[in-house]
Amino acid sequence: MLNISSKTYSLILYLVCCTMNGKKADPAMLSGLDADDLMEQAEVHSLAAVIAEALGSALNDRSLFSEAQARAWEEKRNQTIRTNMLFNAERQNVLALLENNKVWHMPLKGYIISNYYPNPLLRRCSDVDVLFDPEKAELVRDLMNANGYKTEDFNGNDEDIYFKQPVYNFEMHRALVDNKQEVWYDYYKNVKQDRLERVEGKEYEYRFNDNDFYVYFVVHAVKHIRYSGTGLRTLVDLYVCINKSNIDFAYIEGEFKKLGVYDEEQLMRKLSVKLFSESALNGQVKLTQEEADLLDRMIISGVYGTEDLYIENNFKKISGDKEGSSKLKYAMYRLFPPAELYRKTYPFFYKHKAARPFLVFVRGFDIITKRRKNLINEINLVKKM
């Protein structure tokens, strides 16, 4: 694990805390910073614009930043703002397209969370997630294609992906969670009827109330933590949600117990408050060992997690312990996975049971030709467990 007391990550957490509380960085807290490393790690967690906001006039201090470094920070901030403005305009176009063609829909995740930030344009947008009526999937594909979007993925899975130049990436979700997570799937199976409310002035656009949005946000975050990990921005998102929205904590805690994520949410919430509330501006934050371990994992993960963490978490889930027999159990599981696991990657074999004996050869060919390095890395990691 990384040492979270490193200067760079201590500064990242301090600078994010400044922005969350409407403050600029105290120059005394910036002494000895490594400007290039700060930028690199901020980018790993998609927090460069948030941090640039906190740096403010400190960027003019040539004992801290060279002229080129200062320009780079300012450009990151401005670039994020420009990209977000482009996405905001295009999002409205796509939502209007769905509304006008009578397709019920709901914007998800980042679009909602950004509105809780002190400046919504500082939360970097790289794609737009929209839940929509799965029965209208083909109509939506035709509408997106007619409006300049290329279909990147459309095969009956949980989401369809569309892209248009220069930066527009839309993930159109047919369901909120896949059926591999049975409890979560059952909870959200009839989400439109059970948990959504219509947006005022719209016929086909829906939304969660603040409580149910936060519940879904946490479920999504926990999914990533359990699989390949998730980064610091998730903690920032969680913090702004609990501080800027109207949450009934008795209600959400009851829902988290139903969904099996109560302990994980409690840990994330306590950690985010310790790191980003105004009391943390002095840079002195005391964490429990459990909180420090979670923060370490999130630092390592970056925004989208890592392959190594995915393998480690998957091994623990499948094997249950670290004895040799468990490694054999893991190997057999990877060689002959349950059908649900290849529903997305090999839909033909998922749909045609008679052809499944041949899947082992197809997967083997794909691994040798496309994912050999990944396989070697996985074998080496499992050997060490």
Side-chain angles (χ1 to χ4, degrees):
M1 288 295 182
L2 293 177
N3 178 4
I4 62 167
S5 64
S6 69
K7 181 67 174 178
T8 295
Y9 274 101
S10 294
L11 275 177
I12 285 175
L13 296 171
Y14 166 71
L15 291 166
V16 171
C17 183
C18 286
T19 297
M20 293 302 105
N21 290 280
K23 307 289 186 182
K24 298 300 181 185
D26 179 351
M29 297 289 288
L30 304 179
S31 176
L33 69 79
D34 182 333
D36 291 332
D37 190 44
L38 183 64
M39 171 68 82
E40 182 179 346
Q41 301 309 319
E43 280 288 277
V44 166
H45 292 274
S46 287
L47 290 170
V50 173
I51 290 171
E53 179 79 1
L55 289 171
S57 61
L59 291 170
N60 298 322
D61 185 340
R62 291 296 166 259
S63 69
L64 298 172
F65 301 94
S66 69
E67 188 174 343
Q69 289 169 335
R71 281 201 307 270
W73 278 103
E74 290 169 350
E75 178 55 28
K76 283 294 180 185
R77 180 183 181 279
N78 294 337
Q79 184 183 62
T80 296
I81 290 173
R82 287 195 301 269
T83 300
N84 285 345
M85 291 175 69
L86 288 171
F87 264 108
N88 287 345
E90 185 64 16
R91 183 188 296 107
Q92 295 310 312
N93 291 338
V94 171
L95 296 185
L97 196 65
L98 298 174
E99 180 76 19
N100 294 336
N101 285 274
K102 302 181 179 180
V103 180
W104 76 259
H105 58 280
M106 176 175 67
L108 297 170
K109 295 187 288 192
Y111 167 66
I112 308 298
I113 294 169
S114 65
N115 291 308
Y116 299 141
Y117 273 59
N119 178 348
L121 294 175
L122 294 178
R123 187 187 187 278
R124 188 166 77 187
C125 180
S126 57
D127 57 32
V128 176
D129 296 272
V130 180
L131 179 69
F132 76 106
D133 184 351
E135 296 183 3
K136 301 287 183 68
E138 292 188 3
L139 170 61
V140 170
R141 180 182 57 186
D142 293 342
L143 292 170
M144 297 295 281
N145 291 164
N147 281 271
Y149 281 86
K150 178 184 176 183
T151 303
E152 298 282 324
D153 188 13
F154 185 93
N155 58 12
N157 294 327
D158 300 319
E159 74 241 359
D160 305 322
I161 301 175
Y162 301 95
F163 178 77
K164 183 170 75 171
Q165 294 290 352
V167 294
Y168 305 122
N169 190 64
F170 275 73
E171 293 189 6
M172 308 298 290
H173 294 259
R174 302 186 187 202
L176 283 178
V177 296
D178 62 49
N179 57 12
K180 286 185 288 186
Q181 300 290 342
E182 187 174 346
V183 172
W184 298 352
Y185 179 77
D186 289 342
Y187 185 87
Y188 286 115
K189 186 163 55 177
N190 298 309
V191 65
K192 177 173 176 280
Q193 294 81 4
D194 296 345
R195 306 192 180 278
L196 302 188
E197 55 189 39
R198 188 180 287 113
V199 172
E200 186 176 352
K202 304 286 186 180
E203 277 194 75
Y204 298 95
E205 184 174 338
Y206 288 79
R207 66 182 177 193
F208 281 124
N209 62 32
D210 285 352
N211 292 321
D212 288 322
F213 175 80
Y214 181 68
V215 170
Y216 171 66
F217 165 76
V218 168
V219 166
H220 186 76
V222 169
K223 180 188 78 170
H224 282 289
I225 288 172
R226 290 180 181 178
Y227 284 82
S228 57
T230 189
L232 294 178
R233 193 178 67 177
T234 295
L235 277 182
V236 182
D237 288 348
L238 188 146
Y239 177 77
V240 297
C241 281
I242 61 176
N243 279 275
K244 301 297 182 180
S245 58
N246 298 312
I247 291 178
D248 178 342
F249 287 98
Y251 169 79
I252 63 165
E253 289 175 1
E255 300 308 288
F256 290 143
K257 288 174 183 177
K258 293 178 192 175
L259 292 161
V261 298
Y262 176 82
D263 290 339
E264 287 150 303
E265 188 275 338
Q266 287 281 301
L267 180 59
M268 285 193 293
R269 194 198 314 175
K270 290 173 183 176
L271 177 58
S272 72
V273 170
K274 283 187 178 182
L275 292 175
F276 304 126
S277 60
E278 191 169 4
S279 61
L281 286 171
N282 62 8
Q284 303 299 314
V285 178
K286 293 183 178 180
L287 303 180
T288 66
Q289 189 59 53
E290 192 177 21
E291 291 164 350
D293 289 344
L294 174 60
L295 181 56
D296 255 357
R297 291 198 301 273
M298 298 182 90
I299 286 173
I300 291 169
S301 297
V303 173
Y304 301 110
T306 68
E307 182 70 17
D308 287 5
L309 277 175
Y310 174 78
I311 293 168
E312 181 181 339
N313 290 337
N314 209 28
F315 179 86
K316 290 176 181 177
K317 177 182 175 183
I318 294 164
S319 303
D321 60 53
K322 299 184 179 181
E323 299 300 322
S325 61
S326 294
K327 291 181 181 180
L328 177 61
K329 181 179 179 182
Y330 177 80
M332 294 303 293
Y333 181 90
R334 294 290 285 122
L335 284 169
F336 306 103
E340 186 55 40
L341 289 190
Y342 52 81
R343 179 167 64 94
K344 288 186 178 183
T345 48
Y346 299 101
F348 174 83
F349 292 96
Y350 179 78
K351 294 176 182 176
H352 301 88
K353 292 183 179 180
R356 289 181 187 176
F358 298 99
L359 178 59
V360 66
F361 301 106
V362 175
R363 289 180 72 231
F365 178 79
D366 283 350
I367 288 170
I368 292 170
T369 58
K370 301 176 185 177
R371 302 198 301 276
R372 176 186 260 174
K373 288 183 179 180
N374 294 34
L375 176 62
I376 293 171
N377 181 53
E378 182 174 0
I379 291 171
N380 289 334
L381 282 171
V382 171
K383 281 181 179 178
K384 296 175 184 177
M385 291 178 185

